[in-house]
Amino acid sequence: MVDIQTLLQILWTGIATATYGVLLAAAFSLVLKVVKVWNFAQAGMMGIAYYTMYVVIFRLGWPALAGIAASLVITIAAALAMEVWGLQTFRRRHSPSLTYFIFTLVVSEFVQYMLAMVFGTEPVSLAGNLMSSSTLVGGIVISRWDLTALGVAVVVMAALYLLLKKSRYGKFMVAVADNPHLSRLYGINVRPVYAATFAIASVLVVAAMYLFGTRASMVPNTPLEMMLFAVIAALLGGMGNVFGAAGAALFLTLLRAFSILVIPSAWQGLILYALLFITILLFPNGVRLRRRAKVQPVAATPAAEPAA
């Protein structure tokens, strides 16, 4: 029998470790929403972001903030290069959607092999010591990394919400996502909106990879498994529903965390593929909660006047 203290610890740890998955799922879903591309090249961008920080922090010995800044610049540049010299070319040629899918997948694989050639296949992390200082609160172990990860995720997702819902440029992004052709008629330049979308997604990716790298180590093919998680969350949360994908990522992380109570850790990787199969089969358009229809009061019909 599992005691309540253990369940609370699993819950807290699951919420904390869900942070980078939430950011990655939101990044993938944002590009899917606005650009209408299944951006599997995000796995390559994840590798570029991670190893840029690793080089700056450990090879050059610079502070972590410098590593994050350099990673932002290089990751955004790589994403924009893919958009300008890849996806825009396909749009001009009116290429089929399968072309975009294959291209992003090839970019991801190419980056993975290049990183493996340069850095090898030994796991590396972004922290000299992955053991973070912790405090016992009500019987639950809360580490400094947990609080940092939750703070970063909340701030970044709140900023994304304000950008999409409140800012003028965010409204441009929503308009392009709904109908890019109609947006052009209203004077919206679609190309900068696509470029800004990839730049914003790169910010989410860099934040996620920094959080991951300060908690665990990575090899060049690790982003592919993390990418699969983001795809499942995007499908489960609804096609192009950015915050739905983030919520689905939190749910999936907690599901995997609690599954350790019934499934051995050696089989944890199988859960992702089982969830992908179930999601595609049963929830191709995402999980939509039905709202109970409000009963409108029926106005009383005035009585007919008696005939004269």
Side-chain angles (χ1 to χ4, degrees):
M1 186 66 180
V2 181
D3 60 281
I4 187 64
Q5 207 69 40
T6 302
L7 295 177
L8 291 176
Q9 183 66 64
I10 294 175
L11 176 63
W12 170 257
T13 305
I15 293 174
T17 55
T19 50
Y20 47 82
V22 165
L23 296 173
L24 293 175
F28 182 84
S29 186
L30 179 65
V31 173
L32 180 60
K33 175 184 178 67
V34 179
V35 190
K36 299 294 189 294
V37 170
W38 290 81
N39 183 29
F40 285 90
Q42 180 173 307
M45 301 303 113
M46 291 159 58
I48 291 173
Y50 190 93
Y51 280 96
T52 299
M53 286 186 280
Y54 171 74
V55 168
V56 173
I57 295 173
F58 285 96
R59 298 283 178 88
L60 300 180
W62 292 2
L65 287 178
I68 295 172
S71 181
L72 279 172
V73 172
I74 293 178
T75 305
I76 291 174
L80 293 181
M82 183 191 70
E83 158 65 16
V84 173
W85 289 304
L87 302 183
Q88 285 187 14
T89 302
F90 298 143
R91 294 189 196 103
R92 288 194 298 268
R93 296 174 180 174
H94 303 286
S95 301
S97 57
L98 184 61
T99 305
Y100 297 83
F101 171 79
I102 295 174
F103 174 73
T104 59
L105 193 60
V106 169
V107 168
S108 177
E109 291 289 340
F110 174 77
V111 171
Q112 173 195 331
Y113 283 112
M114 289 299 296
L115 292 175
M117 288 177 59
V118 174
F119 297 101
T121 57
E122 292 296 321
V124 296
S125 69
L126 300 180
N129 184 7
L130 295 178
M131 297 297 296
S132 177
S133 59
S134 58
T135 306
L136 197 64
V137 179
I140 301 174
V141 178
I142 298 177
S143 68
R144 183 178 179 183
W145 182 92
D146 296 342
L147 299 176
T148 302
L150 288 170
V152 170
V154 168
V155 170
V156 172
M157 291 302 295
L160 179 62
Y161 177 84
L162 293 176
L163 174 67
L164 294 178
K165 302 295 184 180
K166 304 298 182 180
S167 71
R168 184 168 179 263
Y169 207 83
K171 294 177 180 178
F172 286 171
M173 294 173 67
V174 174
V176 171
D178 291 338
N179 193 324
H181 303 292
L182 185 61
S183 299
R184 291 188 181 95
L185 296 179
Y186 281 98
I188 299 176
N189 194 342
V190 176
R191 286 187 179 182
V193 173
Y194 287 160
T197 301
F198 277 104
I200 295 169
S202 298
V203 173
L204 298 175
V205 166
V206 171
M209 297 315 293
Y210 178 76
L211 293 180
F212 176 81
T214 52
R215 182 183 182 275
S217 57
M218 193 181 87
V219 294
N221 65 350
T222 301
L224 293 177
E225 181 179 346
M226 300 173 69
M227 187 71 229
L228 177 61
F229 179 88
V231 172
I232 297 172
L235 284 171
L236 197 60
M239 301 286 284
N241 186 343
V242 177
F243 300 99
L250 176 60
F251 167 76
L252 292 173
T253 304
L254 291 176
L255 181 63
R256 292 185 65 181
F258 281 100
S259 67
I260 196 68
L261 299 174
V262 293
I263 301 176
S265 58
W267 296 98
Q268 288 291 303
L270 183 62
I271 296 177
L272 279 180
Y273 294 95
L275 288 173
L276 179 60
F277 176 78
I278 294 172
T279 300
I280 294 175
L281 187 64
L282 301 180
F283 308 106
N285 296 319
V287 176
R288 297 179 180 179
L289 300 177
R290 294 182 179 179
R291 295 182 179 179
R292 181 179 297 178
K294 294 182 179 179
V295 179
Q296 299 294 338
V298 179
T301 305
E305 296 182 1

